[in-house]
């Protein structure tokens, strides 16, 4: 069983437990549930940098990345850096995140927030909305075509934008549907954790221009972004590159400034 399969097995147990603790009707009564969402798509289309900056404490491939900085400080820093949006990892067991991180980020910034999570159930989309997210992530590798359709349509009904992540041509072809806003190509093979931006390049021509193209993982230099822009990528998800420094916000400020010059 690879790491992704393990995560999904644990996620099914976690979601079942949460449903027993907090009913969906309670999530719908959240003060943030009726909040007007901010558009990551609009920001990416109008940006010269396209940076989606991530808050991530640890990962299965890198163990600890940064346990010291506060989500609030990171969110404020990313907003000052003029990032297009902020990605917040909410998985606890493998990434050290939580829904509390999302709500703290929401209180600290007006940036569009992506709930970075392994979503397998509509309940998690209700959680995302209740805790202040604007965007959800769906991962094609763990969902059937029908599940992608049902979950993305449900997210759209809550005014949430949808970023769908693929790793290969097969996943991409089963996933193209009008209920998605952004198509993300993950440069990291989730089975081996090897990273190469070649996959973003090879899939770029297969993604219709209706979708904002996002390249994810393994982007640590301005050169890598400039290399991918001619392939039509308007979004770049950067996590470890900022988070492994003492001050992720300050690091993002310098990075985006250099990128835009």
């Amino acid at each position: 069983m690879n790491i992704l399969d393990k995560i999904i097995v644990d996620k099914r147990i976690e979601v079942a437990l949460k449903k027993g603790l907090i009913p969906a009707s309670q999530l719908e009564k959240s003060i943030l549930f009726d909040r007007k969402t901010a558009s990551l798509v609009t920001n990416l289309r109008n940006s010269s940098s396209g940076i989606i900056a991530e808050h991530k404490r640890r990962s299965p491939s890198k163990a600890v990345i940064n346990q010291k900085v506060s989500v609030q400080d990171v969110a404020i820093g990313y907003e000052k850096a003029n990032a297009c949006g902020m990605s917040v990892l909410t998985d606890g067991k493998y990434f050290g995140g939580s829904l509390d991180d999302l709500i703290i980020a929401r209180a600290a910034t007006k940036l569009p927030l992506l709930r970075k999570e392994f979503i397998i159930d509509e309940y998690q989309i209700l959680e995302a909305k209740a805790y202040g997210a604007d965007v959800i992530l769906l991962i094609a590798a763990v969902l059937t075509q029908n599940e992608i359709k049902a979950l993305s349509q449900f997210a759209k009904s809550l005014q949430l934008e949808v970023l769908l992540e693929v790793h290969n041509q097969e996943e991409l072809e089963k996933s193209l549907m009008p209920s998605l806003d952004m198509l993300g190509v993950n440069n990291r093979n989730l089975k081996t954790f090897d990273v190469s931006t070649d996959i973003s390049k090879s899939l770029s021509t297969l993604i219709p221009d209706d979708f904002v193209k996002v390249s994810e993982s393994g982007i640590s230099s301005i050169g890598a972004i400039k290399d991918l822009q001619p392939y039509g990528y308007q979004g770049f998800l950067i996590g470890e590159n900022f988070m492994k420094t003492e001050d992720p916000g300050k690091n993002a400020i310098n990075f985006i400034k250099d990128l835009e010059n």
Side-chain angles (χ1 to χ4, degrees):
M1 197 188 263
N2 64 54
I3 187 72
L4 187 57
D5 294 335
K6 277 193 194 128
I7 290 171
I8 296 304
V9 167
D10 286 336
K11 196 55 64 179
R12 291 194 191 285
I13 297 164
E14 181 192 312
V15 172
L17 282 169
K18 281 182 159 185
K19 280 179 166 177
L21 290 168
I22 301 170
S25 57
Q26 194 173 324
L27 292 172
E28 288 166 354
K29 286 178 190 147
S30 150
I31 196 160
L32 290 172
F33 207 82
D34 296 325
R35 175 187 151 266
K36 189 179 186 313
T37 48
S39 174
L40 178 58
V41 168
T42 302
N43 283 6
L44 291 175
R45 286 202 193 275
N46 296 329
S47 166
S48 55
S49 78
I51 302 296
I52 306 163
E54 189 157 84
H55 178 271
K56 172 159 68 171
R57 289 190 182 86
R58 56 185 166 88
S59 75
S61 62
K62 287 277 165 70
V64 172
I65 299 164
N66 192 333
Q67 300 274 32
K68 294 184 181 129
V69 291
S70 77
V71 181
Q72 183 178 350
D73 289 348
V74 173
I76 291 167
Y78 286 165
E79 184 165 335
K80 275 188 189 152
N82 211 14
C84 292
M86 178 175 176
S87 166
V88 181
L89 265 139
T90 59
D91 173 77
K93 183 168 182 180
Y94 295 90
F95 291 88
S98 72
L99 279 163
D100 287 346
D101 291 339
L102 190 58
I103 213 158
I104 291 164
R106 177 76 290 148
T109 180
K110 290 187 168 62
L111 287 176
L113 295 181
L114 164 69
R115 181 187 186 190
K116 187 92 173 282
E117 181 56 91
F118 299 86
I119 289 182
I120 48 164
D121 194 292
E122 285 185 1
Y123 181 84
Q124 294 162 289
I125 300 174
L126 288 174
E127 283 182 328
K129 180 78 172 167
Y131 281 79
D134 303 281
V135 190
I136 60 147
L137 174 75
L138 296 178
I139 301 172
V142 300
L143 300 167
T144 65
Q145 187 176 41
N146 285 339
E147 285 169 334
I148 293 167
K149 189 176 181 185
L151 291 168
S152 59
Q153 287 179 345
F154 183 64
K156 298 301 286 179
S157 76
L158 297 176
Q159 279 74 56
L160 294 169
E161 290 181 339
V162 181
L163 168 63
L164 182 103
E165 175 179 302
V166 298
H167 299 85
N168 56 44
Q169 186 172 344
E170 187 189 0
E171 288 175 10
L172 177 61
E173 285 169 353
K174 78 169 183 184
S175 306
L176 292 172
M177 55 187 78
S179 45
L180 307 174
D181 301 285
M182 293 162 277
L183 268 157
V185 179
N186 194 334
N187 301 307
R188 178 177 283 119
N189 182 319
L190 287 184
K191 293 175 180 168
T192 63
F193 278 94
D194 293 338
V195 177
S196 167
T197 56
D198 289 348
I199 185 71
S200 280
K201 292 175 186 176
S202 64
L203 293 185
S204 65
T205 54
L206 304 174
I207 303 172
D209 290 337
D210 315 354
F211 306 103
V212 173
K213 297 178 197 179
V214 179
S215 187
E216 308 171 25
S217 294
I219 298 166
S220 57
S221 69
I222 286 162
I225 291 174
K226 291 201 182 291
D227 189 34
L228 286 166
Q229 282 172 332
Y231 291 86
Y233 285 93
Q234 292 176 292
F236 304 93
L237 186 73
I238 299 185
E240 281 165 30
N241 198 48
F242 299 149
M243 286 301 294
K244 68 186 180 192
T245 63
E246 278 184 24
D247 189 338
K250 190 175 172 191
N251 196 268
I253 288 169
N254 295 334
F255 187 93
I256 292 173
K257 207 178 275 175
D258 290 348
L259 175 62
E260 289 180 331
N261 285 340

